[in-house]
Every structure is written in structure tokens, then in C-alpha cells.
Amino acid sequence: MRVRLYFDEDSMRHALVEALRKRGVDILTALEAGTIEEPDADQLEYATTCGRAIYSFNVADFCQIHAQWLTERKSHAGIILARQQQYSVGEQMRRLLRLVGALSTEDMQNRLEFLSDWG
């Protein structure tokens, strides 16, 4: 099954969401889900409940949460991280399309991916 994405409030630029949706990517944003201003761990919990990999610019926090969840043997649907302001909307789109084209939902289980690796 193709990776479905959940964009937290930091990463949900309208232009990016629309560009990816036009290319068939299934995306849910924190705004659409009503989860704006929820703590990062709760965002990951919500995304996992929905079977979606979370996309965020909050690198430090999500690296820490990922490590904590693995230690606690908690499962998540995947984390994709990028540094804010590092990529244009077009570059984010291209890299995310490569990732969702290459990995399945099963591949993303408990996986931490950096957008920088998908150039």
C-alpha cells in the first residue's frame, strides 16, 4: 500500500499539499484533522492511528520521540523530517514523491526518514 501522509502544522504549506494531491498523494493536514497546537507526541499518535506517516520540520523533537517510542516498544506509522527553509515547495514535492513512490506503508513502520536522503 502506498504511503499516506499527515502534515503537522509546521509543514502544511497549502501549495505543497495541493501539488502533492494533484499527483495522487493522500494527505491529511493538522488543520483538517483539528489537531493544531497539539504536542508532537500526540501528533504522531494521531497520525499512527490514521495509518499515516507524519511529515514535519521539527527535527529535534521527532528524533527524540522516535527514539523514546522504540525504547518503549511503541509502534508508529513513520516519520519524515526536513529542516525548515531548506527546500522550496517544488523540491519538497519532488523528494516526497520519490519517497512515497519507493516505500510502502509497511516499509515506513517505525522508520525515520530524512527528506535530505531523497534528492
Side-chain angles (χ1 to χ4, degrees), residues 102-113:
L103 300 176
S104 69
T105 301
E106 293 78 26
D107 293 333
M108 281 302 298
Q109 284 295 112
N110 297 316
R111 192 168 181 155
L112 177 66
E113 287 290 330

Side-chain angles (χ1 to χ4, degrees), residues 75-95:
S75 184
H76 63 73
I79 301 170
I80 305 164
L81 299 173
R83 299 227 181 264
Q84 195 164 16
Q85 313 275 326
Q86 186 171 1
Y87 302 110
S88 67
V89 167
E91 189 61 24
Q92 287 178 75
M93 180 195 68
R94 284 185 287 280
R95 289 171 185 252

Side-chain angles (χ1 to χ4, degrees), residues 10-109:
D10 295 331
S11 64
M12 59 180 194
R13 292 193 54 190
H14 180 73
L16 177 60
V17 171
E18 289 307 308
L20 288 168
R21 284 182 173 157
K22 285 180 182 175
R23 288 156 180 84
V25 179
D26 185 338
I27 300 172
L28 177 65
T29 68
L31 182 62
E32 295 162 342
T35 57
I36 298 289
E37 297 185 10
E38 293 291 323
D40 291 333
D42 292 351
Q43 297 279 354
L44 183 59
E45 188 80 49
Y46 180 82
T48 297
T49 299
C50 296
R52 296 175 179 275
I54 194 167
Y55 177 56
S56 180
F57 296 139
N58 198 341
V59 175
D61 286 351
F62 278 106
C63 284
Q64 186 175 42
I65 292 166
H66 172 70
Q68 179 183 350
W69 280 38
L70 291 180
T71 300
E72 295 173 2
R73 300 194 191 283
K74 287 178 71 174
S75 184
H76 63 73
I79 301 170
I80 305 164
L81 299 173
R83 299 227 181 264
Q84 195 164 16
Q85 313 275 326
Q86 186 171 1
Y87 302 110
S88 67
V89 167
E91 189 61 24
Q92 287 178 75
M93 180 195 68
R94 284 185 287 280
R95 289 171 185 252
L96 286 167
L97 285 172
R98 282 187 196 109
L99 187 149
V100 300
L103 300 176
S104 69
T105 301
E106 293 78 26
D107 293 333
M108 281 302 298
Q109 284 295 112

